[in-house]
Amino acid sequence: MDLLEAMRRLADAAAPREACGLLLGQGARVLALAPTRNLAAADDAFEIDTALHLRLQRLARTRPGRDVLGVWHSHPCGPAEPSARDREGAWDESLLWLITAVEGTRGWRMCDQAFVEINLTTT
């Protein structure tokens, strides 16, 4: 199953809550998704498991191609674009953001404290 399909299935399974996870890979290429339990109290928010994030960062030191490249989450009741809450919570401009919604998955990066859409290519 490809990553976009995996994201769609996880989003559907979590609805009406947001699903979330970390994107793993190397360079600009996402190779794997590490789903995480959504720790946020509200259904329309997400919070990545910090302990998992730290474990994956440590693991990346010993396993090439497993760097934490970004975050993924779903918007079950909105578009696949960053919400005001996403903008407030964006903590690292180097991270890729993928958001899955009914219309599909779109990619974003922070640039000068604003999200800019990026093209996603799949192989």
Side-chain angles (χ1 to χ4, degrees):
M1 173 180 0
D2 76 352
L3 292 175
L4 294 176
E5 177 61 23
M7 291 175 201
R8 162 65 36 223
R9 288 180 186 219
L10 289 165
D12 289 346
R17 288 184 54 76
E18 291 189 7
C20 59
L22 294 165
L23 305 168
L24 308 176
Q26 188 169 30
R29 186 174 179 151
V30 176
L31 301 171
L33 173 65
T36 181
R37 190 169 51 97
N38 183 350
L39 300 178
D43 285 349
D44 64 343
F46 79 98
E47 183 179 338
I48 298 286
D49 181 345
T50 305
L52 173 64
H53 191 173
L54 293 172
R55 276 195 309 276
L56 291 171
Q57 285 179 318
R58 280 192 295 272
L59 182 62
R61 292 186 204 134
T62 60
R63 294 183 65 193
R66 301 295 284 190
D67 297 328
V68 176
L69 301 180
V71 297
W72 163 79
H73 72 285
S74 64
H75 283 176
C77 298
E81 57 189 49
S83 65
R85 183 175 280 157
D86 294 336
R87 287 188 292 279
E88 291 170 12
W91 64 91
D92 184 343
E93 288 200 3
S94 69
L95 293 176
L96 168 67
W97 283 65
L98 296 185
I99 302 174
T100 298
V102 173
E103 78 270 12
T105 299
R106 294 167 63 191
W108 304 87
R109 284 218 184 262
M110 285 292 292
C111 183
D112 295 326
Q113 300 177 342
F115 277 102
V116 176
E117 188 167 12
I118 60 170
N119 290 325
L120 298 180
T121 57
T122 59
T123 56

